[in-house]
Amino acid sequence: MEEIIRSEGLTYRYETETPKRPALDGVDLRVREGEFVAVLGHNGSGKSTLAKHINALLVPSEGKMFTNGLDTSEEDNVIEIRRSAGMVFQNPDNQIVATVVEEDVAFGPENLGVRQEDIIEKVYLALNMVNMGDFGKRSPHMLSGGQKQRVAIAGVLAMDPKIIIFDESTSMLDPVGRKEVMATINYLNKVEKKTIVLITHFMEETVDADRVVVMIKGRIEDEGTPGEIFRKRDLLMRAGLIPPFASDVAYRLKDEGFDIGQALTVDELVEGICRSLQKD
Amino acid sequence: MPITTEGLRFEYAPGTPFSHVALEDISVTIDDGSFTSLIGHTGSGKSTFIQLIAGLIKPTAGKIYLDGEDINQKGYDKKKLRRKIGVLFQYPEYQLFEETVEKDIAFGPTKAGFTEDEVAVKVRKAMELVGLDYETFREKSPFELSGGEKRKVAIAGVLATDPQILILDEPIAGLDPIGRQDFMEMVRDLNRGGKTVIMISHNMDDLAEYSTRVIALYQGKVYLDGTPNEVFSRYGHLKRAGLDLPETGKVIQKLRDRGIDIDREIITKDALIRELKKLLGGKDD
């Protein structure tokens, strides 16, 4: 099976609101197994609502969502769906339930009925993947924001999901914590071959994604590689997004008649400048 | 109304095995109308420093003067301090509690003893300062607003008592990029309008862009102190203190590593682009 996530005409209306338009309006999302897809959008664009459909926290008002081949509106599928698609949220403090790191990570597999002797192995496998293997006996509240968020990721990994959804998982962290979590996400995709759906409003977090999906007002407005999307200034403006530093500098230089090529990162920008200087 | 500290020291749990010196020998003057940024790694003492100057905790040793008066001397009127200094803590939207935006902002000035009419004027003015339209927002519940709007309500609550000095602890954390930009521009306007701003942030680019002075704390001491250009051009020092460079600094450092002669005191994006244009434009001669 190639497409591990597939939505068809997915539309969702929140019951409590009386909006003129639905939160999601006819979304066709397709994610291949092993792909790293970033969903970019401003507040209120529907990106988090879309994320919550992937693991059946929400089910479509109209249209369909299939996760790992299973229809999320079938009640009988929910447990299997949650097992295959784990979710990491914004605030690490709201996701940690136990007083010792290893117990926190064990919470998921215990509830899935994994045998006790296998649990500890799963827990440390997961903690090692997020580089927190030495912290198993620690108390979560003594950890930094980035470390706590990595424990939350380990808690998801301990259930062996194929898909991991990150719903603005870095937005409450300091720069160091943000770097740690982004490095973990890349590792899980490139090495552990997990399918990643990253929900964010920070463009700089999407540079390593295979594909970027841009949402505006509940619809997918455009999609493409980070390079293709970052080039579209009008689109970014309409979506309420601010391009990363390096890409903005390169773009503004081009505007002034100095084309140093596209740059997504500081290294690419420096490379482009040096190349241009050497040309003559 | 400058703030001056002399030999400020703060120790947590002194005389116990858990004692820890958070700040040591801090002597600084923060001038009226300045925009001072405090930077430092987690645990460097930044938050302790602002709690001290806001009079929320007392120093183990040393003095703090506001307008020439020692704020910890016997008989000093703490109410005066509260009126002069407004503090916005991290994630201030968690402290909103009233049914409507108007009531929430009115809480401070009401407690400070202003009449109903005076409070109404102050609330309206505070909302204007933060860019929240009075008629649109006054009757709304603070809880149905966006993250950026909630934060504006929180800062309006601080501004409603008309403090001369604004202390902001990580005010943009958790906001989306456009919310951050809006918020920083609002703070800049308040500063230009005459308020003294003291701000803690991890976002070096914003600090480079907006502040007039930067103080870096490291292991409880003043480590660097100067204009943004002076502080942010000292790459080696910043790295040693576990601090990030602004993006501009990262670009310049990498260009210099490649043998390209470019001034380290360039710290804003606009200045970098101007300089790069000169560099690229001059390659033909």
Side-chain angles (χ1 to χ4, degrees):
Chain A
M1 181 197 47
E2 232 217 312
E3 276 171 2
I4 195 160
I5 299 169
R6 192 174 87 239
S7 77
E8 291 167 358
L10 168 53
T11 296
Y12 184 79
R13 287 184 191 81
Y14 281 98
E15 277 174 26
T16 50
E17 291 172 46
T18 48
K20 287 173 213 90
R21 59 173 185 84
L24 289 178
D25 191 3
V27 171
D28 296 319
L29 177 73
R30 280 167 173 61
V31 179
R32 291 188 306 276
E33 186 152 16
E35 207 180 1
F36 176 175
V37 173
V39 181
L40 258 176
H42 191 40
N43 288 343
S45 61
K47 59 189 191 305
S48 285
T49 307
L50 177 59
K52 292 190 180 89
H53 277 81
I54 299 173
N55 71 342
L57 285 175
L58 295 173
V59 292
S61 309
E62 290 159 42
K64 287 281 178 202
M65 170 62 96
F66 297 94
T67 300
N68 204 13
L70 300 169
D71 185 340
T72 61
S73 19
E74 300 282 338
E75 284 239 13
D76 293 345
N77 289 339
V78 170
I79 290 177
E80 191 47 41
I81 287 168
R82 298 263 165 85
R83 199 189 287 240
S84 57
M87 193 151 176
V88 181
F89 296 94
Q90 191 174 39
N91 189 345
D93 291 322
N94 294 348
Q95 299 170 69
I96 289 179
V97 294
T99 51
V100 179
V101 165
E102 58 179 21
E103 283 175 18
D104 191 82
V105 177
F107 183 80
E110 271 169 5
N111 281 299
L112 292 178
V114 176
R115 285 188 319 172
Q116 199 63 35
E117 51 268 42
D118 295 338
I119 284 181
I120 201 75
E121 196 191 321
K122 271 189 185 298
V123 165
Y124 278 89
L125 207 62
L127 281 171
N128 284 330
M129 281 187 211
V130 299
N131 225 345
M132 288 292 287
D134 295 337
F135 292 82
K137 302 285 182 198
R138 299 277 196 97
S139 163
H141 76 265
M142 299 296 278
L143 303 177
S144 73
Q147 290 173 330
K148 278 188 224 172
Q149 197 62 297
R150 285 186 284 150
V151 170
I153 296 171
V156 169
L157 285 171
M159 295 192 279
D160 261 335
K162 288 185 172 174
I163 306 162
I164 308 178
I165 307 148
F166 293 89
D167 190 3
E168 299 193 26
S169 307
T170 64
S171 72
M172 294 184 84
L173 305 179
D174 67 12
V176 176
R178 185 170 288 184
K179 257 181 237 162
E180 290 168 4
V181 169
M182 286 314 299
T184 303
I185 293 174
N186 273 312
Y187 168 82
L188 293 176
N189 177 248
K190 304 288 175 316
V191 181
E192 301 292 339
K193 307 292 177 202
K194 301 288 183 192
T195 304
I196 303 285
V197 178
L198 175 73
I199 309 292
T200 183
H201 45 229
F202 291 111
M203 288 184 62
E204 45 274 50
E205 293 182 350
T206 69
V207 295
D208 292 316
D210 298 315
R211 190 153 53 97
V212 176
V213 171
V214 179
M215 294 198 65
I216 300 178
K217 292 184 177 165
R219 294 167 185 258
I220 292 181
E221 186 74 13
D222 205 344
E223 51 189 301
T225 63
E228 287 163 2
I229 294 296
F230 283 25
R231 201 175 287 146
K232 297 180 177 172
R233 294 282 140 163
D234 291 348
L235 168 74
L236 301 180
M237 197 93 90
R238 266 186 294 134
L241 297 166
I242 293 183
F245 182 89
S247 113
D248 192 44
V249 170
Y251 184 86
R252 283 169 59 185
L253 283 173
K254 189 179 173 191
D255 238 13
E256 306 258 4
F258 302 100
D259 191 355
I260 60 157
Q262 210 190 357
L264 299 185
T265 63
V266 166
D267 283 327
E268 287 176 21
L269 177 66
V270 169
E271 205 53 51
I273 295 165
C274 291
R275 226 178 14 244
S276 293
L277 285 172
Q278 281 159 7
K279 254 185 211 155
D280 306 85
Chain B
M1 206 178 300
I3 300 173
T4 301
T5 71
E6 271 178 21
L8 207 55
R9 175 187 167 87
F10 188 82
E11 194 175 341
Y12 285 99
T16 74
F18 307 106
S19 82
H20 165 69
V21 178
L23 281 180
E24 211 175 348
D25 198 25
I26 308 282
S27 301
V28 294
T29 293
I30 291 168
D31 292 319
D32 286 345
S34 64
F35 189 142
T36 304
S37 299
L38 282 178
I39 60 175
H41 200 250
T42 305
S44 61
K46 314 181 291 281
S47 292
T48 307
F49 181 70
I50 62 169
Q51 288 177 51
L52 282 165
I53 57 178
L56 299 172
I57 53 178
K58 283 189 177 173
T60 314
K63 302 261 191 253
I64 303 158
Y65 298 98
L66 177 63
D67 233 359
E69 283 184 276
D70 180 349
I71 65 166
N72 292 304
Q73 75 188 352
K74 268 212 170 80
Y76 181 81
D77 181 10
K78 278 274 158 82
K79 269 195 182 156
K80 194 155 63 182
L81 185 73
R82 303 270 178 267
R83 266 201 305 278
K84 287 180 179 174
I85 299 185
V87 189
L88 192 72
F89 292 103
Q90 283 186 49
Y91 297 103
E93 55 275 21
Y94 293 158
Q95 295 163 42
L96 300 174
F97 63 100
E98 275 285 10
E99 286 163 32
T100 69
V101 166
E102 186 172 26
K103 281 187 192 169
D104 205 287
I105 300 171
F107 183 79
T110 306
K111 287 282 165 202
F114 292 103
T115 68
E116 213 169 300
D117 289 346
E118 285 169 333
V119 170
V121 172
K122 284 183 186 296
V123 169
R124 195 183 265 266
K125 190 170 162 231
M127 288 179 69
E128 207 173 283
L129 280 174
V130 301
L132 288 173
D133 183 63
Y134 181 72
E135 291 305 330
T136 314
F137 285 94
R138 56 181 286 233
E139 287 297 329
K140 283 198 177 175
S141 159
F143 303 101
E144 63 188 42
L145 305 178
S146 75
E149 288 165 347
K150 276 185 197 167
R151 202 157 295 188
K152 284 184 173 176
V153 172
I155 194 170
V158 173
L159 290 170
T161 53
D162 202 20
Q164 179 51 40
I165 299 164
L166 270 181
I167 298 180
L168 310 169
D169 189 358
E170 287 284 354
I172 55 168
L175 294 183
D176 67 22
I178 290 191
R180 288 175 167 214
Q181 204 170 299
D182 283 353
F183 194 93
M184 287 308 299
E185 280 168 13
M186 179 196 77
V187 174
R188 185 189 52 199
D189 290 344
L190 289 169
N191 176 242
R192 285 185 178 161
K195 304 247 184 248
T196 307
V197 175
I198 301 170
M199 176 167 156
I200 293 181
S201 176
H202 285 295
N203 192 315
M204 302 299 169
D205 294 282
D206 283 338
L207 299 181
E209 192 85 35
Y210 296 107
S211 45
T212 57
R213 178 183 181 186
V214 179
I215 299 175
L217 296 177
Y218 181 49
Q219 295 179 343
K221 292 187 179 145
V222 173
Y223 178 70
L224 294 170
D225 183 358
T227 63
N229 300 61
E230 287 163 0
V231 171
F232 287 127
S233 55
R234 305 185 72 173
Y235 303 156
H237 281 78
L238 291 168
K239 223 174 218 159
R240 225 168 301 141
L243 291 166
D244 240 3
L245 293 180
E247 294 293 307
T248 308
K250 289 181 196 161
V251 173
I252 290 175
Q253 189 182 31
K254 287 192 167 150
L255 286 171
R256 288 172 66 95
D257 285 350
R258 305 271 291 250
I260 292 164
D261 183 28
I262 184 164
D263 190 355
R264 293 215 288 195
E265 290 214 4
I266 293 163
I267 58 163
T268 65
K269 194 197 267 180
D270 289 344
L272 175 70
I273 290 171
R274 265 200 309 277
E275 206 57 30
L276 289 176
K277 270 175 9 193
K278 259 193 257 166
L279 204 63
L280 293 163
K283 68 183 179 186
D284 288 330
D285 12 271

